[in-house]
Amino acid sequence: MMESGVPVCHTCGVHVGLNGNGEPFVACHDCNFPICKTCFDYELKEGRKACLRCGNPYDENLLDDAEKASGDRSTMAAHMDKSQDAGIHARHISSVSALDSEAQVPPEQLMEDKPAADAFQPLSTVIPIPKSRLAPYRTVIIMRLIILGLFFHYRVTNPVDSAFALWLTSVICEIWFAFSWVLDQFPKWYPINRDTYIDRLSARYEREGEPSELAAVDFFVSTVDPLKEPPLITANTVLSILALDYPVDKVSCYVSDDGAAMLSFESLVETADFARKWVPFCKKFSIEPRAPEFYFSQKIDYLKDKVQPSFVKERRAMKRDYEEFKIRINALVAKAQKTPEEGWTMQDGTPWPGNNTRDHPGMIQVFLGYSGARDIDGNELPRLVYASREKRPGYQHHKKAGAENALVRVSAVLTNAPFILNLDCDHYVNNSKAVREAMCFLMDPEVGRDVCYVQFPQRFDGIDRSDRYANRNTVFFDVNMKGLDGIQGPVYVGTGCVFNRQALYGYGPPSMPSLSKSSSSSCSWCGCCSCCCPGKKAPKDPSELYRDAKREELDAAIFNLREIDNYDDYERSMLISQRSFEKTFGLSSVFIESTIMENGGVAESANPSTLIKEAIHVISCGYEEKTEWGKEIGWIYGSVTEDILTGFKMHCRGWRSIYCMPLRPAFKGSAPINLSDRLHQVLRWALGSVEIFLSRHCPLWYGFGGDRLKWLQRMAYINTIVYPFTSLPLIAYCTLPAICLLTGKFIIPTLSNLASVLFLGLFLSIIVTAVLELRWSGVSIEDLWRNEQFWVIGGVSAHLFAVFQGFLKMLAGIDTNFTVTAKAAEDAEFGELYIVKWTTLLIPPTTLLIINMVGVVAGFSDALNKGYEAWGPLFGKVFFSFWVILHLYPFLKGLMGRQNRTPTIVVLWSVLLASVFSLVWVRINPFINTVDSTTVAQTCTSIDC
């Protein structure tokens, strides 16, 4: 029964055993998924009668035999002592089982098998939002839709003839806002929470006295310019990875230096040396977080829960060692401020290969690891690898996406972990068990097989208490992402994400339905059922059919390559070439073999002495030419927001993603907290969305073949690419109140009783929707208000420029850059918050503020001149103007700084534009009807004087 040829159960880890004919027990004859008889019986007991892998129902004869055996066992079990009931995997009933009829399990073994019952439990669970909170929320959304329909009916059927252009502009803007609200609201229809069970994960995959069976993880850390991305911050990120609460032989950290800077390399050398002291200290005392800069700067009682007498002494010594480490890093940074004329030279006297950042060879250096230096206690450390891909003139390098793809190939050659976790260089591991949290989903047989990635929310340090510019993005991460998790999963946000390597290679999920089927097992609208959204499927376009055919060809090739170890080197190379793998993955047989190893690990055919040479080869600048890299596999090219595009492609293939929100944030990073830098960050995101909108990957028309992308998920992706265009109606709508005040016109006619009820109902529905959303999400009202304010600030500045720049770049090939020049700050705490930097992004919102303030003054002056009857119409105009000013108030505070210092050029440009606009408006005055002189003359002659 324990022969080496018998497969191991995928659920509990024991051998599957033999059936009555002496052959290995097989539950599913379609996919031969390995599961033991005991686990199989437990699945039936729980009501699951379909295979965990392929989803096909079990054979009826097998089910009948299991039910009969279950009845016999229940009869015999009544005569057995209750103390022998040791759980699911206890073999105390083996005397009546065909599997174990020859041996009785001793009581000691029963006691040892007790914990296995907990290990068999699910590793995660879905916690739905209570109906008492969700039902009123959905009801109000429907009511708001109905009110919006009645509101637009009134607006369209009641034009304002005296200000027709203003009325028409306002109606168009309001229709667009309603469309944007629908795109944003309905993907939040099925919000869920999730919980994980790390103890069960350990019980299942980390048995005492046996090697850990947890999956290996390759970490990617990307950096470009060490003078803009401080090496000390990158070092803290690397140290927090190396000190994870995870088996050291399962962790490999790859640092991509896309700037080929000697400063980054030397800093990593120092980091590797300091890790020999830092890692054992973290694991000995279980400290959090495990990034030294942030651990030592905590303003908490660091003695809490610490019982070891040596802790205080060792902590002081470690803090001193870290300060010395900081001094060495700072010295390297100071030295790198001025580059020698002859370039940098390494310690052995040879020139640094990366002296020319645009023309240099690929570089790889392995620190620590299996054969590298050990920690001060003599224990093994995780592998740390420095990589800088080759760059040559005339080649497209694709910035961050290209660097990530290079790391995918390097890691596949050297370690080939089945899962990849990527982090920005300024995002450190705040929760040492974060990887275990992700593994509760990815290593769960029932959940993980169709999961392409597990996304963690972004959390930040160093943000001002009021979060003036909504840097935390709380509404997005705590509301929108929870909603998406109930459909097909959250979008990929660029960092803090654990990938299934197979999903990055462009493969579909194991349970993906055949493209020839006329219907799928889940609803194409929400993914929840197969009956709530009937309707015909969209026909496939020819390009989609071609891509599906190529993907099926690739899957067929993988099936044949699973027996690749049975071929010699010549046959292996011929098979790989024959199946067009080289056209997909590039000219590297070692890498191609790694792509078919679903459970990871370096191919047995790989020669360890040549792996570094092969790794250098796969990061050469010409490796991706005429391959599918950046098109169908890896990080996708074509946008500065490659994260959205990459996740979108995976969801289009039928994968789903998971949103993981542990109580202790998994990762923390830094965010730009001053106004100009924040606007530039938003500009980059919006520009990426415009690029996707103008590309072939636009969610409006891409990925309809196969019906693998759920409709609500598609709606969410459409929202991510059209939101920058809201800047056009938004800036027009924010200008309307000032125009109304300056001209005496208004966009709404005199209200009737019915119209008053409609307006009141609309405002109440907006307020109630927000309140109910806060109720189920737990977000504070301050966070919601900050989000609304910055939606307006970003919309009338960064989003507007993104639309302009995106069209210039995509249609005319002109790449426009908006530069930022910094000024110094004198404030100590949150000093960067008060830095004022000149940028053209500041001009539109400043102009809006000025003209609305001028409009309010002009409106009150006019009302004073006209008398009491003018105050009623003035109220509505001033209300909308104050709405604009209140939303732009954080911008005004940021513009003034703590000491009311504003760049003179900003004031000059804004005043100039506002003055010119006002003068031109007075001169044209388009809302006063032109009087025909002939009509006036005829009127005068008809008067009987």
Side-chain angles (χ1 to χ4, degrees):
M1 181 175 171
M2 301 299 290
E3 293 174 350
S4 60
V6 179
V8 174
C9 176
H10 193 277
T11 302
C12 65
V14 303
H15 287 75
V16 298
L18 306 177
N19 59 19
N21 298 327
E23 299 176 349
F25 175 75
V26 178
C28 177
H29 294 279
D30 293 324
C31 66
N32 294 327
F33 180 66
I35 183 172
C36 67
K37 187 68 169 60
T38 306
C39 294
F40 173 72
D41 291 340
Y42 180 80
E43 288 292 310
L44 299 183
K45 180 182 176 182
E46 292 296 311
R48 293 186 286 266
K49 299 184 179 182
C51 177
L52 295 175
R53 173 182 287 173
C54 65
N56 293 328
Y58 292 124
D59 183 76
E60 293 184 0
N61 295 329
L62 194 63
L63 295 176
D64 293 340
D65 293 342
E67 291 178 0
K68 182 179 179 181
S70 177
D72 293 341
R73 282 197 295 269
S74 61
T75 302
M76 294 297 297
H79 301 286
M80 301 179 68
D81 188 80
K82 294 183 180 180
S83 64
Q84 290 183 342
D85 186 9
I88 296 171
H89 289 85
R91 304 283 180 150
H92 63 279
I93 54 176
S94 58
S95 58
V96 296
S97 170
L99 269 172
D100 302 321
S101 58
E102 298 180 2
Q104 196 78 11
V105 180
E108 305 85 43
Q109 183 65 37
L110 298 179
M111 298 300 295
E112 292 178 1
D113 285 344
K114 264 189 178 182
D118 185 56
F120 191 76
Q121 299 299 314
L123 302 180
S124 64
T125 185
V126 174
I127 305 176
I129 306 297
K131 290 184 178 180
S132 59
R133 297 186 178 185
L134 207 54
Y137 176 67
R138 292 173 175 171
T139 303
V140 171
I141 291 174
I142 299 300
M143 290 177 60
R144 185 171 170 182
L145 270 179
I146 297 172
I147 294 172
L148 272 174
L150 297 174
F151 170 78
F152 284 122
H153 178 267
Y154 169 80
R155 292 284 281 138
V156 172
T157 57
N158 291 270
V160 182
D161 296 329
S162 60
F164 186 81
L166 289 178
W167 168 83
L168 182 61
T169 302
S170 66
V171 171
I172 293 173
C173 293
E174 289 162 1
I175 291 174
W176 178 266
F177 295 151
F179 171 70
S180 298
W181 172 75
V182 169
L183 290 179
D184 180 70
Q185 188 67 63
F186 278 90
K188 295 183 283 189
W189 192 260
Y190 298 97
I192 61 171
N193 293 311
R194 295 181 185 271
D195 198 8
T196 56
Y197 306 102
I198 298 179
D199 52 341
R200 297 179 184 176
L201 180 77
S202 298
R204 182 178 296 187
Y205 295 108
E206 292 183 297
R207 296 183 180 87
E208 188 176 353
E210 299 180 11
S212 173
E213 296 179 2
L214 289 174
V217 182
D218 288 337
F219 286 77
F220 293 174
V221 179
S222 302
T223 183
V224 180
D225 187 351
L227 298 181
K228 294 181 180 179
E229 301 166 331
L232 187 63
I233 299 299
T234 304
N236 272 269
T237 299
V238 171
L239 289 169
S240 67
I241 293 172
L242 298 178
L244 275 172
D245 180 10
Y246 208 71
V248 293
D249 59 323
K250 306 289 186 178
V251 176
S252 299
C253 179
Y254 293 82
V255 179
S256 169
D257 176 18
D258 219 32
M262 188 172 175
L263 173 57
S264 298
F265 179 83
E266 291 182 330
S267 299
L268 206 59
V269 174
E270 293 288 349
T271 303
D273 184 60
F274 179 70
R276 298 178 60 245
K277 303 176 183 178
W278 176 250
V279 172
F281 171 76
C282 293
K283 296 189 174 182
K284 180 178 181 180
F285 298 108
S286 302
I287 66 167
E288 296 282 3
R290 300 189 177 182
E293 181 69 23
F294 302 95
Y295 170 69
F296 289 120
S297 63
Q298 290 182 113
K299 297 179 181 179
I300 60 172
D301 180 14
Y302 64 84
L303 295 178
K304 185 178 180 181
D305 300 328
K306 297 295 184 290
V307 296
Q308 297 96 324
S310 63
F311 173 68
V312 174
K313 181 179 179 180
E314 292 192 35
R315 185 183 186 277
R316 288 173 180 168
M318 182 55 61
K319 187 173 183 180
R320 184 176 62 251
D321 290 338
Y322 177 63
E323 289 172 349
E324 293 174 355
F325 168 72
K326 288 175 67 174
I327 292 296
R328 295 194 295 271
I329 296 294
N330 291 339
L332 292 174
V333 174
K335 176 185 174 183
Q337 296 299 316
K338 186 177 181 180
T339 305
E341 294 182 1
E342 66 278 5
W344 298 106
T345 304
M346 294 187 290
Q347 291 183 355
D348 59 0
T350 58
W352 171 248
N355 277 324
N356 187 341
T357 58
R358 297 183 179 180
D359 188 2
H360 64 84
M363 296 177 282
I364 293 177
Q365 177 65 48
V366 180
F367 302 98
L368 309 178
Y370 310 119
S371 59
R374 294 178 175 263
D375 65 25
I376 57 175
D377 295 334
N379 298 318
E380 184 181 324
L381 288 167
R383 178 176 291 192
L384 176 61
V385 180
Y386 168 89
S388 181
R389 56 182 173 144
E390 181 186 20
K391 287 190 175 180
R392 301 296 181 192
Y395 286 90
Q396 280 282 351
H397 301 295
H398 303 289
K399 299 180 181 180
K400 180 183 176 181
E404 296 287 355
N405 284 338
L407 288 185
V408 171
R409 297 190 294 272
V410 168
S411 62
V413 171
L414 297 181
T415 52
N416 195 34
F419 302 110
I420 293 171
L421 195 158
N422 85 294
L423 290 172
D424 289 343
C425 64
D426 61 343
H427 277 68
Y428 65 91
V429 181
N430 183 64
N431 183 347
S432 62
K433 298 184 183 295
V435 177
R436 293 178 180 269
E437 297 274 356
M439 291 302 119
C440 286
F441 301 108
L442 293 168
M443 296 189 70
D444 192 320
E446 295 186 16
V447 177
R449 57 198 180 113
D450 289 341
V451 175
C452 54
Y453 59 80
V454 174
Q455 178 66 62
F456 291 88
Q458 291 185 20
R459 305 299 187 205
F460 301 98
D461 288 319
I463 296 177
D464 60 298
R465 285 175 289 273
S466 64
D467 192 16
R468 181 185 294 176
Y469 308 123
N471 281 282
R472 292 190 178 94
N473 286 323
T474 307
V475 173
F476 174 75
F477 286 112
D478 290 13
V479 180
N480 295 67
M481 295 287 264
K482 284 183 180 179
L484 290 176
D485 199 19
I487 308 171
Q488 200 172 341
V491 298
Y492 169 43
V493 296
T495 184
C497 186
V498 187
F499 284 98
N500 181 336
R501 188 183 283 267
Q502 293 294 308
L504 281 171
Y505 289 156
Y507 303 143
S511 63
M512 183 178 66
S514 173
L515 293 175
S516 61
K517 292 182 180 180
S518 59
S519 62
S520 60
S521 60
S522 60
C523 173
S524 63
W525 173 259
C526 63
C528 299
C529 63
S530 59
C531 58
C532 66
C533 304
K536 295 182 179 180
K537 296 189 177 182
K540 298 182 197 174
D541 56 76
S543 61
E544 193 71 28
L545 288 170
Y546 173 77
R547 283 192 295 272
D548 291 337
K550 296 296 289 182
R551 193 173 293 119
E552 288 182 349
E553 179 184 347
L554 189 61
D555 290 339
I558 294 170
F559 179 80
N560 290 329
L561 279 172
R562 295 190 190 282
E563 302 296 328
I564 197 167
D565 290 335
N566 298 330
Y567 300 105
D568 57 29
D569 291 340
Y570 175 76
E571 291 172 332
R572 183 182 297 111
S573 62
M574 287 294 294
L575 182 58
I576 291 174
S577 176
Q578 180 183 1
R579 292 297 179 179
S580 302
F581 266 62
E582 291 178 350
K583 293 181 180 180
T584 302
F585 295 111
L587 299 172
S588 172
S589 59
V590 175
F591 173 74
I592 291 173
E593 286 188 45
S594 72
T595 64
I596 64 170
M597 303 176 69
E598 294 184 7
N599 297 322
V602 179
E604 294 181 1
S605 60
N607 186 351
S609 61
T610 61
L611 284 182
I612 294 294
K613 182 179 179 181
E614 191 69 23
I616 292 287
H617 167 61
V618 298
I619 59 173
S620 60
C621 56
Y623 183 85
E624 294 184 356
E625 286 193 341
K626 298 180 180 180
T627 67
E628 295 298 319
W629 284 101
K631 302 172 186 174
E632 295 294 332
I633 62 176
W635 271 258
I636 306 301
Y637 304 149
S639 171
V640 294
T641 51
E642 70 288 327
D643 45 6
I644 296 294
L645 202 51
T646 302
F648 173 62
K649 293 277 286 188
M650 292 181 182
H651 284 136
C652 285
R653 295 187 187 109
W655 292 95
R656 72 154 294 126
S657 53
I658 296 288
Y659 197 48
C660 183
M661 295 181 65
L663 292 178
R664 180 180 180 86
F667 310 100
K668 280 191 174 182
S670 57
I673 65 171
N674 71 72
L675 177 61
S676 302
D677 287 349
R678 173 68 166 139
L679 289 178
H680 252 270
Q681 181 188 55
V682 174
L683 170 64
R684 179 182 174 276
W685 296 342
L687 176 59
S689 295
V690 175
E691 289 175 339
I692 297 174
F693 178 82
L694 298 174
S695 72
R696 72 181 184 91
H697 290 118
C698 178
L700 287 169
W701 51 73
Y702 182 85
F704 280 94
D707 221 8
R708 300 175 193 137
L709 186 67
K710 308 305 176 187
W711 278 100
L712 287 180
Q713 191 80 13
R714 182 179 297 278
M715 190 179 292
Y717 274 112
I718 292 174
N719 187 43
T720 63
I721 60 126
V722 301
Y723 77 88
F725 297 97
T726 305
S727 60
L728 300 174
L730 183 61
I731 200 166
Y733 208 71
C734 290
T735 309
L736 287 177
I739 296 175
C740 292
L741 287 166
L742 290 171
T743 62
K745 307 296 180 182
F746 200 38
I747 58 176
I748 300 174
T750 303
L751 295 179
S752 62
N753 292 334
L754 177 61
S756 300
V757 171
L758 280 177
F759 275 87
L760 182 61
L762 181 60
F763 283 119
L764 285 177
S765 68
I766 293 173
I767 294 171
V768 174
T769 303
V771 169
L772 294 176
E773 194 165 271
L774 297 180
R775 188 166 173 255
W776 69 253
S777 66
V779 174
S780 69
I781 191 170
E782 184 181 10
D783 288 326
L784 183 65
W785 174 237
R786 287 283 182 258
N787 183 76
E788 288 295 317
Q789 286 180 311
F790 200 78
W791 175 74
V792 176
I793 294 170
V796 300
S797 58
H799 298 172
L800 180 67
F801 279 79
V803 173
F804 171 73
Q805 185 177 354
F807 275 96
L808 282 179
K809 182 178 179 180
M810 301 301 292
L811 302 181
I814 302 174
D815 195 357
T816 306
N817 293 317
F818 302 98
T819 57
V820 177
T821 306
K823 294 185 178 181
E826 300 174 1
D827 305 282
E829 187 178 13
F830 303 118
E832 190 182 348
L833 177 67
Y834 306 104
I835 295 177
V836 181
K837 302 179 181 181
W838 158 243
T839 170
T840 49
L841 298 177
L842 301 178
I843 294 176
T846 307
T847 305
L848 284 175
L849 273 170
I850 292 175
I851 64 173
N852 274 280
M853 290 178 180
V854 170
V856 170
V857 173
F860 275 102
S861 300
D862 185 62
L864 288 171
N865 293 330
K866 290 184 177 179
Y868 178 78
E869 66 277 0
W871 288 94
L874 177 65
F875 174 76
K877 303 173 188 177
V878 171
F879 173 81
F880 284 113
S881 193
F882 271 113
W883 179 89
V884 176
I885 295 172
L886 282 175
H887 278 79
L888 294 176
Y889 180 67
F891 173 85
L892 182 61
K893 287 183 66 176
L895 197 66
M896 295 302 176
R898 175 171 290 181
Q899 300 174 4
N900 294 337
R901 296 168 297 178
T902 304
T904 307
I905 192 169
V906 173
V907 178
L908 288 177
W909 271 104
S910 301
V911 172
L912 178 62
L913 287 176
S915 302
V916 169
F917 177 80
S918 301
L919 291 172
V920 171
W921 189 270
V922 171
R923 178 69 182 86
I924 299 174
N925 208 0
F927 296 108
I928 295 180
N929 293 329
T930 303
V931 180
D932 189 355
S933 58
T934 306
T935 305
V936 174
Q938 291 176 354
T939 304
C940 291
T941 56
S942 64
I943 297 176
D944 186 3
C945 296

